[in-house]
Structure formats: C-alpha cells, structure tokens
Amino acid sequence: MYDISKFQIKENPVILGLESSCDETAAAVIRGRELLSSKIISSATEQAKFGGVVPEIASRAHTEAVDEVVAQALAEAHVSVNELDAVAVTYGAGLLGALLVGLSFAKSLAYSLNIPLIAVNHIRGHMAAAYLIDKQLKPPFVTLLASGGHTAILHTKSFTEFEILGGTCDDAAGEAFDKVARVLSLPYPGGVNVERLAKSGKNNIAFPKCLVKNSKSLQFSYSGLKTAVINYCHNLEQKGESVVREDVAASFQFAAVQPLVQKTVECAKQLGVGTVTAGGGVIANGYLREMLKGECDRENLRLVLPEKAYCTDNAAMIAAEGLIGYMNGNFASLDINARAQIPLK
C-alpha cells in the first residue's frame, strides 16, 4: 500500500527529476545537491514550423520521449531505478496535456518503487536552479525571476519561504521578447534570436523602459514597451522607410533588461542582503547576465547565476526543488492532478 506517512527521509537522497511542462521532455538525477545527470529531448524544431508551441504536438512528443529520456538520465548518472529515493515532477504550471505525461509517468514509477512522489511548481524549480551551481548557497538572498510567464523580484528568506517584492503588471519579460521577435520576423524561439540579432545592432532608439509611473515602485509593465516597438516599426513602414532590425532588437533588449537589473540590485541593497540569484529562461540572455554581473560587482554583491542550460526548462532544477520538498517531508499523494496555472505564491 502506498502510504506517504511512512516514508523515511534520508540525508543525501537520490532523486529523479522530470519536466514536461512545455516542449522539453527532461530528466535529471541528483544525489543530495550533486547533479549526476541532466538529459533533454526537445520538440522545439518541430514547434518552430508553426511559430510557437502547439500543445497537441508537444504532448505527443512527450509521450514518445519520456521513457527514453529517463533511461538516458539514469545511465549517465550510473544509477539503477531501484536506487532512487524519490521522484520529483513538475505538476504545474504549463500545458495541461504535456504536464500529464510527466506526472503520470512519475506517479507510476513512485508507486512501483514505493518511494515518495514530490510535486514541484515549475517556477519554484527555476528559483532552485541556483542551488545546483553553489552547493553551499543558503538563504537569505534576493532572486530575480524572469521567464516567459513570470517576472518578479523575490526575497528568499528560507528554503521554503519567500516574499514577492515586485512583479509584472501585464506581460512577462520572456513574453515580450517573443512578441518582439514576431514583429522582427524572427523564428521561434524568440528570445535567443532577439539576442543574436541585437549583437550587431546599436542601442540608439529611446524605447520606454518597462517601469510603472512611480519610479520607486518594484512593479514592471512590458505591455507598453512591446507596443512601442510595434508602433515604431509600423510607422517607418507606413512612411516607406526601412527598419534597421538590429537596432530595434538592441534598443528593445536594453529597455527590457536594464530595469530588471536595476531594481534587483536596489532591493538587495535596501534589504541588506549580500547575495543575488536569478532563474528563468530570460536569465539565459547573455546581455542580461553581463549587466547583472557588472552591477553586482559594483555594489559588492555576490551573484549566483545558474548555467544557461539550467535557466531554460530542464529537469535538474525540478530535482533541486524536489530535494527541498523531500527534506521537508512534502510528499504528494497519487491522486494529485496537473494544473495549467499555479500562483507564484
């Protein structure tokens, strides 16, 4: 009988992490905070044909890939399935059909091995990625979260407790990158292609920064910035003038990134916190990483940045957050369901 009340907590558990919230089917194995393996099978190439993720295609791809990616992760980690102490899996937020593939697999595995199932909030996974880079990292610290669905600055007070200091009023940072990419006729995924184009452009267009009217507020608004880019390109086209796409990309990137960095560093200084971390797909942006490192160095703040591979969707971060849940005995029952939306807190 599967009874979560009888599971014992081990000191350095071997945890399999599973991630299937969008177009990446991913599996990873950790032993304590040591990352043993991380494998991904992506359907991004197929999705690019449609200019974005098609949920049905993603779900089918997960179904075909999940067995293989788990086998790859276990083999690379030199761990047998019987050595696992727990299974951590994304149960939300994301595409419902895609989530159900990973969650169903994880439930079956946990039940068959009679080991704990840990349900992980995808966004909390992004926040936990920093723990894999610095194995001695402990709260408190300030975290910049920037992804396709969320943009926030958080005060991480403990491994399980955090306070949202500010966030976006409308579009998330990653969402704005994707929308601007479409305006510039760039292929999916948008963020990486905007960054690539911006490298050969100049920051010479005064797009509005994504701040609300009160400059002291920690809230962001990306809707106006996105609209400004659309209007700028449209107006030039109406006049028969050419759009220098490289300059648009570079100017947009600066306007999108600079306020994130500025406000994050300000928060750390005001709270007297000496460490800054970051997580989410947008944190893979090299321009943002350089700017954040420069500002933290200037203010003598310690910066812990996950490697780019662990900023975008991956299972290592899910395993890392799963470890926190495991050590606190936060085990899920087998009747837990996938959720397309989960509040950040």
Side-chain angles (χ1 to χ4, degrees):
M1 182 177 179
Y2 191 82
D3 186 350
I4 63 176
S5 67
K6 294 183 178 180
F7 291 130
Q8 301 296 313
I9 298 175
K10 299 181 180 180
E11 185 174 350
N12 285 301
V14 177
I15 298 177
L16 171 69
L18 288 171
E19 156 62 21
S20 66
S21 64
C22 193
D23 59 347
E24 313 281 5
T25 313
V29 179
I30 62 172
R31 179 181 285 111
R33 278 207 198 179
E34 181 185 2
L35 179 62
L36 303 181
S37 67
S38 180
K39 307 298 290 186
I40 294 176
I41 297 177
S42 176
S43 64
T45 301
E46 184 67 21
Q47 307 290 351
K49 298 176 184 177
F50 304 94
V53 178
V54 179
E56 180 63 24
I57 293 175
S59 299
R60 291 179 182 178
H62 289 308
T63 302
E64 295 170 357
V66 64
D67 279 315
E68 176 62 24
V69 79
V70 168
Q72 290 178 7
L74 291 173
E76 185 176 276
H78 301 291
V79 168
S80 74
V81 70
N82 292 316
E83 294 178 83
L84 296 176
D85 296 309
V87 181
V89 61
T90 305
Y91 80 105
L95 302 174
L96 196 56
L99 289 165
L100 285 169
V101 176
L103 184 58
S104 298
F105 187 97
K107 285 182 181 182
S108 300
L109 188 58
Y111 178 78
S112 66
L113 298 173
N114 197 33
I115 58 176
L117 173 71
I118 305 163
V120 174
N121 182 329
H122 179 85
I123 302 305
R124 293 293 294 264
H126 278 303
M127 294 167 59
Y131 292 123
L132 295 173
I133 303 305
D134 184 348
K135 295 179 177 60
Q136 305 305 315
L137 177 65
K138 294 180 180 179
F141 46 77
V142 167
T143 301
L144 170 61
L145 173 64
S147 68
H150 291 81
T151 301
I153 300 173
L154 309 103
H155 181 198
T156 302
K157 298 180 178 180
S158 71
F159 287 108
T160 59
E161 180 187 10
F162 63 89
E163 177 187 0
I164 301 172
L165 302 175
T168 180
C169 303
D170 37 61
D171 292 355
E175 185 180 4
F177 268 88
D178 285 339
K179 290 179 177 178
V180 168
R182 292 192 193 101
V183 173
L184 297 177
S185 300
L186 297 173
Y188 173 86
V192 65
N193 287 303
V194 170
E195 179 188 359
R196 187 176 294 119
L197 184 64
K199 289 180 180 178
S200 56
K202 299 177 182 178
N203 175 24
N204 58 7
I205 305 169
F207 289 132
K209 294 180 181 177
C210 50
L211 302 174
V212 296
K213 291 182 179 179
N214 179 2
S215 62
K216 295 183 179 180
S217 170
L218 294 177
Q219 297 298 107
F220 300 94
S221 174
Y222 279 91
S223 180
L225 172 59
K226 171 202 67 181
T227 302
V229 174
I230 293 172
N231 288 341
Y232 175 85
C233 294
H234 179 72
N235 288 339
L236 286 181
E237 290 167 356
Q238 289 292 320
K239 296 176 183 177
E241 300 177 16
S242 60
V243 175
V244 182
R245 297 192 310 154
E246 294 83 356
D247 292 350
V248 172
S251 301
F252 159 76
Q253 185 172 247
F254 172 78
V257 164
Q258 197 270 344
L260 292 176
V261 172
Q262 173 192 338
K263 293 297 183 183
T264 300
V265 171
E266 286 179 2
C267 284
K269 290 168 55 182
Q270 290 172 7
L271 292 170
V273 174
T275 301
V276 171
T277 71
V282 178
I283 306 302
N285 181 285
Y287 182 76
L288 185 154
R289 295 169 76 89
E290 291 176 8
M291 185 178 288
L292 187 58
K293 184 180 185 305
E295 287 300 310
C296 285
D297 286 346
R298 273 187 282 275
E299 298 296 339
N300 293 315
L301 295 170
R302 178 167 168 259
L303 176 63
V304 180
L305 276 180
E307 295 177 20
K308 290 185 179 183
Y310 303 126
C311 293
T312 53
D313 290 353
N314 65 90
M317 69 182 194
I318 302 303
E321 178 63 20
L323 176 62
I324 295 173
Y326 178 91
M327 299 308 294
N328 286 275
N330 293 330
F331 305 141
S333 62
L334 295 179
D335 62 357
I336 188 170
N337 205 353
R339 295 177 58 185
Q341 294 183 333
I342 300 179
L344 186 55
K345 187 175 181 182

